[in-house]
Amino acid sequence: MHTSDRDLSTRGIKLAGEGAAERDIHEAQRRADIKTGEAVTATVDSLSIQHRWAIYKSRGISRAWRFANAN
């Protein structure tokens, strides 16, 4: 979440070495990123609201903490 989306060079592409000659590495990387994002979203959504809120707070997505009695 804290990495820049603006680097569009092949330096940030993880799938560049896997048969890049016969397929579009940018499209393959985009599909891999979407698949990873969907898996992370599904995992976070399956957590209790308290744990989900703790992740949001720790990542700076939310500034408020609604569970004052939770450790």
Side-chain angles (χ1 to χ4, degrees), residues 37-47:
E38 289 172 347
V40 169
T41 300
T43 302
V44 170
D45 288 347
S46 71
L47 296 173

Side-chain angles (χ1 to χ4, degrees), residues 17-48:
E18 298 178 8
E22 63 269 359
R23 65 180 182 153
D24 181 14
I25 58 171
H26 296 286
E27 181 59 28
Q29 184 65 48
R30 187 184 72 76
R31 281 193 312 269
D33 290 345
I34 288 172
K35 186 176 178 181
T36 301
E38 289 172 347
V40 169
T41 300
T43 302
V44 170
D45 288 347
S46 71
L47 296 173
S48 69

